[in-house]
Amino acid sequence: MTFLSLEPIRILLYLVGICAFVGGNAAYLVLAERKGAGRIQRRPGPNEVGFAGLLQPLADGLKLLAKQIIVPNGSDSLLFRLAPLMVMAPPLMCLATIPFAEHLVARNLNIGLLFVFSFGSINVMALMLGGWASRNKYAIISAARVVSQSVAYEIPMLLVVITVLMMAGTMDLNEIIRQQAHGFWHWNVFKVWVNPLMPVSFVIFFICMLAETNRAPFDMAEAESELVAGAFTEYGGMGFGVFFMAEYANIVVGCCLATVLFLGGWQSPIGVLSGGLWGLGWFLAKT
């Protein structure tokens, strides 16, 4: 008797898990950022919906779902609707190759590092497409600024990643993590006996990651204070919501990549308890 393969079911479960992970991160990272900004600026953050404002992301999500998506007159309606999907697909594809634990990865590719950067570059095109399709001159200018910043900071980021790649001799993300086993002093960020500039490389990667994901102080390219929402000014409802989720998904992808390349991935700092749920816990804590 021929049994159906379990592979499609496994892929479906991973897809559902990744989408839930991205959605949960986007919801509560926004809440954490708003509360942090409120404390820094001496004002209350979200605190009305639920205990301490913990249900605010749910209320915001329902509000965005209830809003109608309006396509502006004179815009390219097909590209306008396609841009949010294009900006959301790359981080989902990248997360499919990230090893959250030794055996917890949707697709363990031997060219995983190349895969992540290949799909990551599509995000820039999607941002430009969103601004261009709006036919709003301010959105187009903002999109051009974001794209030029992203392309500029991709160059030093790639140079740093090539350094790690030459040390590891492989593009397999799981193998890169395995080479950082047996204690935190074997993590790439601390391997000064191999390359004395590895701590500097980590700092450069971190700065480039902030620029790539439009986080402060590199959010001036989007100019939200001047242009309402930068390249997404003409988007409302879940069109804007998808762009927002994609931005935070890219932040998570960048942090996961930093964890894999420099901080030992799912490896324990003291070299024990790195498998199973312990490995997942170490990975998420570092991320």
Side-chain angles (χ1 to χ4, degrees), residues 134 175 201 224:
S134 301
E175 182 58 31
S201 297
E224 289 182 345

Side-chain angles (χ1 to χ4, degrees), residues 44-66:
N47 58 3
E48 295 294 332
V49 186
F51 175 74
L54 291 177
L55 296 181
Q56 186 66 47
L58 180 61
D60 290 340
L62 291 174
K63 177 185 70 175
L64 290 173
L65 285 170

Side-chain angles (χ1 to χ4, degrees), residues 178-258:
R178 291 190 187 100
Q179 292 181 14
Q180 301 175 69
H182 311 301
F184 69 88
W185 52 92
H186 289 285
W187 295 355
N188 284 334
V189 67
F190 298 121
K191 282 186 178 178
V192 292
W193 64 89
V194 179
N195 183 350
L197 296 178
M198 284 310 293
V200 179
S201 297
F202 175 71
V203 172
I204 294 172
F205 184 91
F206 180 73
I207 292 171
C208 293
M209 185 179 69
L210 292 178
E212 288 284 312
T213 53
N214 297 319
R215 309 317 296 161
F218 297 97
D219 56 342
M220 287 304 295
E222 206 165 87
E224 289 182 345
S225 59
E226 307 162 30
L227 304 175
V228 183
F232 323 132
T233 297
E234 295 291 350
Y235 284 89
M238 275 311 293
F240 174 79
V242 171
F243 274 113
F244 212 66
M245 286 178 61
E247 183 173 310
Y248 280 86
N250 280 315
I251 295 171
V252 174
V253 170
C255 293
C256 288
L257 202 57

